[in-house]
């Protein structure tokens, strides 16, 4: 079945540690890729997105993600996390439709990140 | 408005009752989406509107769920004969093109007791 997999459900880091959150998808065709973040008590917000071109995408707050087509992956990274990065992170895939255009976002189950000072 | 507005923010209802959840998208956004998020899960797609019409309703779990968007702006998600398993956060999102990512509302937390 087509799906989006996030390997880590919970990640605990100390401030200044490096972060990498895994995301794999199983769609075979063209996709747009997204990472969303949900801070405690807030709504989902777009962190970054990839449509085409340079597979290394930079987003807000120092986050970046790398699209590796051969691995069907779109991992999220940050060199040095802060306490304020404590949140839940969702990978999402927007598969192209067979007849053209795009339809709906398919989300992974999310990764809950806790950063300790 | 400046963002996607969802009302009510919280709804507690008894099993078997009917509920309506409202979504007011960003002005000018033609694409509108409903998602459901259960505890510990990612958002699960329910239905997608392009303008007034439902372009994809494949995510609606059964015929107790229905959504409308009669004038191409505000949308209402309707749930009949609610069950305890319907308890979740119902999210609405809108998008200008459907391709550029969505803007989400804060959601309606539905609790069926």
């Amino acid at each position: 079945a087509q799906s989006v997999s996030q390997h880590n459900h919970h990640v605990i880091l100390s401030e200044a540690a490096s972060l990498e959150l895994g995301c794999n998808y199983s769609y075979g065709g063209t996709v747009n890729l997204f990472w969303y973040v949900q801070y405690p008590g807030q709504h989902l917000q777009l962190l970054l997105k990839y449509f085409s071109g340079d597979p290394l995408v930079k987003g807000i707050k120092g986050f970046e993600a790398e699209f590796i087509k051969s691995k069907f992956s779109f991992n999220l990274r940050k060199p040095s996390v802060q306490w304020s990065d404590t949140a839940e992170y969702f990978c999402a895939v927007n598969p192209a439709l067979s007849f053209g255009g795009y339809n709906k976002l398919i989300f992974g189950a999310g990764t809950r990140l806790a950063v300790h000072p | 408005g400046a963002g996607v507005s969802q009302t009510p923010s919280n709804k507690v209802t008894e099993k078997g009752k009917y509920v309506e959840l409202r979504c007011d998208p960003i002005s000018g956004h033609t694409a509108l989406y409903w998602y459901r998020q259960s505890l510990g899960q990612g958002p699960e797609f329910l239905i997608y509107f392009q303008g007034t019409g439902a372009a994809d309703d494949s995510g609606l779990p059964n015929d107790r769920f229905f959504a409308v968007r009669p004038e191409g702006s505000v949308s209402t998600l309707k749930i009949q004969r609610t069950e305890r398993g319907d308890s979740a956060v119902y999210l609405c999102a809108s998008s200008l093109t459907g391709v550029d990512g969505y803007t989400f509302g804060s959601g309606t937390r539905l609790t069926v007791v």
Side-chain angles (χ1 to χ4, degrees):
Chain A
Q2 296 177 324
S3 65
V4 180
S5 298
Q6 292 184 242
H7 316 298
N8 310 101
H9 296 292
H10 291 93
V11 173
I12 301 173
L13 294 173
S14 298
E15 275 194 318
S18 65
L19 169 71
E20 180 160 2
L21 302 182
C23 174
N24 286 88
Y25 61 93
S26 61
Y27 300 93
T30 304
V31 295
N32 292 336
L33 298 159
F34 303 81
W35 276 95
Y36 280 83
V37 61
Q38 189 167 27
Y39 297 103
Q42 297 188 26
H43 61 276
L44 281 162
Q45 301 172 42
L46 182 64
L47 200 54
L48 49 77
K49 59 188 177 184
Y50 172 80
F51 289 172
S52 63
D54 188 343
L56 187 61
V57 180
K58 295 194 183 299
I60 60 172
K61 304 185 180 185
F63 285 91
E64 63 180 31
E66 185 176 13
F67 170 52
I68 303 179
K69 189 174 182 180
S70 61
K71 294 185 178 180
F72 297 90
S73 70
F74 190 55
N75 292 355
L76 181 71
R77 300 196 291 249
K78 186 171 183 178
S80 175
V81 295
Q82 301 173 314
W83 176 80
S84 58
D85 293 325
T86 295
E88 190 157 17
Y89 293 81
F90 294 93
C91 180
V93 175
N94 192 197
L97 297 169
S98 58
F99 51 85
Y102 292 82
N103 194 337
K104 54 188 177 279
L105 283 180
I106 308 299
F107 285 85
T111 296
R112 195 175 293 272
L113 172 66
V115 180
H116 295 295
Chain B
V4 178
S5 175
Q6 291 189 247
T7 55
S9 55
N10 280 284
K11 176 72 177 177
V12 180
T13 190
E14 292 181 346
K15 180 174 176 293
K17 298 290 189 184
Y18 167 84
V19 296
E20 289 189 352
L21 312 179
R22 177 189 168 104
C23 172
D24 198 342
I26 292 174
S27 178
H29 280 193
T30 58
L32 184 147
Y33 306 82
W34 284 99
Y35 282 78
R36 177 170 70 176
Q37 188 173 16
S38 301
L39 198 62
Q41 301 294 321
E44 173 193 8
F45 171 77
L46 295 177
I47 186 169
Y48 152 51
F49 286 91
Q50 184 62 249
T52 60
D56 184 347
D57 64 358
S58 62
L60 295 177
N62 51 59
D63 61 6
R64 295 187 298 106
F65 289 75
F66 188 71
V68 296
R69 194 185 186 199
E71 297 178 357
S73 56
V74 171
S75 176
T76 305
L77 178 66
K78 308 180 181 192
I79 310 174
Q80 299 177 320
R81 304 183 304 279
T82 51
E83 299 177 356
R84 292 197 178 89
D86 298 335
S87 296
V89 176
Y90 288 82
L91 299 169
C92 177
S94 71
S95 175
L96 189 59
T97 66
V99 180
D100 56 343
Y102 306 169
T103 301
F104 280 87
S106 297
T108 294
R109 182 175 299 278
L110 175 67
T111 304
V112 182
V113 297

